[in-house]
Amino acid sequence: MIRLHHIAQSRSFRILWLLEEIGLPFDLIPHAFDKTLRDPAYLALSPVGRVPALEIDGQALFESGAIAEYLVETRAPHLMRGPGQAGRSTYLEWVHFGETIGQHLANLTQHNIALREDCMRSPTVMRLEAKRLANCLEAVAAQAGDGYVAEDFSAADIQCGYGLWLGQRFVRLSTAAQQYLNRLTARPAFRAALAKDGPAKIYTRDFYPAPEA
Ligand SMILES: N[C@@H](CCC(=O)N[C@@H](CS)C(=O)NCC(=O)O)C(=O)O
C-alpha cells in the first residue's frame, strides 16, 4: 500500500491532491509540525525530516516535485508530458517552478508563524518576500491563461496550484490568478484532497498582511 506522510496545509498537500487525481488507494499518515519530524524513524524516510515523504514500490521518496514526477511516470502518463512529447520542456519548467514559489512561501511562513516574537521578524524581508511571491503567482497565471500551465491539466498545475492556494494567505491575487485557482479548486480531486487534509496545523488566519513600510 502507498503511504503518504503528511501535514495539513503543507507541501504534502500536492501529493495528496495528485493521488486523488490518479485515483490510487493510499494510507495517509498525519504528522505534527514539530520536532517529531526529526525522530530517527522518520529521518530514515526523509533525510532532513520534511513532508511529503511517500512510501511506494518498496522505497521511500522525498521532495514533492520528484514524487509528483515519479507518480505520473509510473501511474498517470496523461498527467505529464514525457520525453519526446510536445510541451515537455514547458511542463518541466512549471513542475519545478512550484518550488520557486515554495521558497517564498517558506520564508513568509517562517516570518509570520515560526518566529513568534516581533523582534525576530524582519518587516523588510516580509515585504520583499510578499512582493516576490506575488510576482511568481502572476507569472503562473499568465502562463495558464484560460487553461493550464502546460496546455492540458498536468502535475505542473498541482505543483504551482498549491502555491496559489496557499499564497492567497500572503498576497492578494489578480483576477486572472483567482480564475485559474478557481478552475483548480473546482476539480473533484482537489475537493477530495481538501476533505482529507485534516485540521489546520500551520495557518490559522485567512490572510497575513505584509507590515506597512
Ligand atoms: N522542497 C521540498 C520542501 C519540503 C518542506 O520543506 N516541507 C515543509 C512543509 S511545507 C516541512 O516539512 N517543514 C518541516 C520542517 O522544516 O521542520 C518539497 O517540495 O518537498
Side-chain angles (χ1 to χ4, degrees):
M1 176 64 90
I2 296 171
R3 286 159 55 91
L4 172 61
H5 294 267
H6 176 62
I7 296 175
Q9 304 175 308
S10 81
R11 286 168 174 93
S12 52
F13 184 81
R14 289 169 169 155
I15 306 306
L16 175 54
W17 177 9
L18 179 55
L19 288 166
E20 291 294 334
E21 291 281 353
I22 300 173
L24 288 172
F26 63 95
D27 285 338
L28 193 62
I29 317 293
H31 287 266
F33 190 56
D34 64 20
K35 287 189 177 141
T36 58
L37 291 174
R38 308 294 186 267
D39 288 348
Y42 190 67
L43 291 176
L45 305 178
S46 173
V48 290
R50 305 286 173 87
V51 290
L54 190 73
E55 295 181 71
I56 186 169
D57 297 339
Q59 60 193 333
L61 301 180
F62 56 92
E63 284 295 328
S64 61
I67 296 170
E69 286 195 57
Y70 183 85
L71 279 173
V72 295
E73 284 174 19
T74 58
R75 275 129 174 118
H78 61 288
L79 295 178
M80 66 180 269
R81 311 285 166 264
Q85 280 187 304
R88 167 73 173 169
S89 51
T90 303
Y91 164 78
L92 285 176
E93 284 173 332
W94 294 97
V95 163
H96 291 275
F97 193 75
E99 274 305 275
T100 292
I101 304 171
Q103 65 179 323
H104 303 307
L105 293 172
N107 287 339
L108 286 163
T109 300
Q110 193 167 61
H111 270 80
N112 282 282
I113 292 155
L115 302 178
R116 296 186 189 281
E117 307 294 333
D118 273 350
C119 64
M120 298 172 168
R121 304 181 171 122
S122 162
T124 306
V125 171
M126 292 165 87
R127 282 191 292 276
L128 187 65
E129 286 297 300
K131 181 72 186 136
R132 284 158 67 82
L133 174 64
N135 287 345
C136 287
L137 301 187
E138 292 318 312
V140 173
Q143 174 65 20
D146 292 335
Y148 298 99
V149 293
E151 210 164 322
D152 296 332
F153 178 82
S154 72
D157 294 291
I158 292 178
Q159 288 298 108
C160 292
Y162 167 76
L164 271 96
W165 178 65
L166 183 58
Q168 65 185 336
R169 290 183 190 264
F170 297 112
V171 300
R172 301 290 181 202
L173 300 183
S174 67
T175 303
Q178 188 64 59
Q179 286 173 347
Y180 171 55
L181 180 60
N182 291 348
R183 282 199 295 288
L184 297 177
T185 57
R187 296 180 70 82
F190 182 95
R191 312 304 310 169
L194 202 55
K196 291 183 183 174
D197 191 35
K201 285 274 167 59
I202 307 173
Y203 309 96
T204 51
R205 293 192 222 151
D206 289 340
F207 194 68
Y208 296 84
E212 297 289 326

